[in-house]
Amino acid sequence: MQSIVTRSEPPIRLRLDGIEVRFGGLVALEDVSLQVPAGSVVGVMGPNGAGKTTLFNVVCGFQRPRAGTLSFDGRPVRPAPHRLVRHGVARTLQGLGLFGGLTVLENVAAGASLSHRAPFVTSLLGLPSGARTQRAARDAAATLLDEFGIGDYAQSLPPALPYAVAKKVALARALISDPTLLLLDEPAGGLDSADIEELGTLIRRLPARGDGSRSVMLVEHNVDLIMSVCDHIVVLDFGKVIAAGTPDEIRADPLVAAAYLGGKDAA
């Protein structure tokens, strides 16, 4: 008798249930729920003012919700920016956030220090284990820069970089800590169409790195990018989830079309 093999569903990396945020009398988010499975790319899109940035700030701990729960890998948490790495979370910023006085290599290596457990004093005093940690971080940073095709910029300073290169540096710095959940905040902002296409290729490859279980959540204005890279998309409008599904399902949803064509700017 032939056995039947069933494919198990991937575990849920990030779960939000019933999130509500109010600013005075303004409801920024109302009963927002979503899931980010392990090994997937999940996007959040919506017209300007839909609540995307507020939702991202809830996940990162910059905004405390009035109601609702949030969990990482099945464990309820109250996220805070300084505790994200503890949960295996890294993020990029809308602004690049690079250190202007450090080289590209040093900027990326600085992100690796978040994932190492060597005591700070050991590294500060230049003791052997600290030196080994620094060498490992620089080697890992150099490997990432080569993988992203920007190894030639390793010794450049951020103010001298083309903007598209600086974007890749910021992404490499977030990725070098080997997060299980990578949060991308409007990664296409300021890029032209060719650079956005290249960025999309990079994002699609991110879950496959390592053991293939890394998850990516991105908040993005660029509809073409989010449609091309995401496995699942959640659409917000006026702080509420109006649609959720695959890119094909979202394209065909009349509520999404109404939200973007009803006098709002989709860019």
Side-chain angles (χ1 to χ4, degrees):
M1 181 177 178
Q2 185 176 6
S3 61
I4 299 175
V5 178
T6 59
R7 180 177 298 177
S8 60
E9 293 294 323
I12 302 302
R13 179 77 68 218
L14 170 69
R15 183 192 301 272
L16 282 74
D17 289 303
I19 298 296
E20 179 181 326
V21 174
R22 293 176 180 264
F23 300 113
L26 174 66
V27 179
L29 295 173
E30 183 177 355
D31 194 25
V32 172
S33 299
L34 63 83
Q35 298 179 1
V36 180
S40 69
V41 180
V42 173
V44 179
M45 59 181 278
N48 291 331
K52 302 185 298 297
T53 298
T54 301
L55 181 64
F56 205 78
N57 286 339
V58 168
V59 176
C60 295
F62 289 108
Q63 177 65 53
R64 184 63 55 81
R66 178 175 178 175
T69 60
L70 186 149
S71 63
F72 290 131
D73 293 321
R75 298 185 298 272
V77 296
R78 299 182 73 177
H82 65 280
R83 292 199 297 264
L84 288 178
V85 173
R86 185 186 310 171
H87 300 299
V89 181
R91 65 167 294 184
T92 63
L93 305 171
Q94 286 187 30
L96 297 172
L98 300 177
F99 302 114
L102 300 181
T103 66
V104 164
L105 183 68
E106 290 167 339
N107 265 278
V108 177
S113 66
L114 297 174
S115 65
H116 290 289
R117 298 296 180 260
F120 173 74
V121 173
T122 300
S123 180
L124 181 66
L125 296 179
L127 299 179
S129 62
R132 287 195 297 271
T133 295
Q134 292 175 357
R135 284 196 299 270
R138 292 173 69 89
D139 289 346
T143 298
L144 261 180
L145 293 176
D146 287 340
E147 182 179 332
F148 282 16
I150 54 175
D152 290 344
Y153 293 93
Q155 299 306 317
S156 300
L157 296 176
L161 297 176
Y163 190 69
V165 172
K167 282 274 190 175
K168 289 183 179 180
V169 174
L171 179 58
R173 188 175 64 179
L175 192 61
I176 200 172
S177 65
D178 197 26
T180 56
L181 175 62
L182 181 62
L183 305 173
L184 303 180
D185 191 0
E186 299 189 15
L191 299 180
D192 63 26
S193 57
D195 291 329
I196 290 173
E197 184 175 352
E198 186 176 0
L199 174 66
T201 300
L202 279 175
I203 294 174
R204 284 193 296 271
R205 291 174 179 168
L206 292 178
R209 292 177 55 90
D211 63 2
S213 68
R214 176 176 291 113
S215 303
V216 179
M217 176 181 175
L218 71 151
V219 171
E220 181 54 62
H221 281 291
N222 188 289
V223 176
D224 290 338
L225 176 66
I226 209 166
M227 289 289 182
S228 68
V229 303
C230 291
D231 302 299
H232 189 84
I233 299 170
V234 175
V235 185
L236 297 177
D237 194 24
F238 293 107
K240 297 181 180 180
V241 175
I242 62 169
T246 66
D248 287 341
E249 290 169 337
I250 295 302
R251 287 189 188 95
D253 194 303
L255 290 178
V256 177
Y260 275 104
L261 299 177
K264 299 183 178 68
D265 182 7

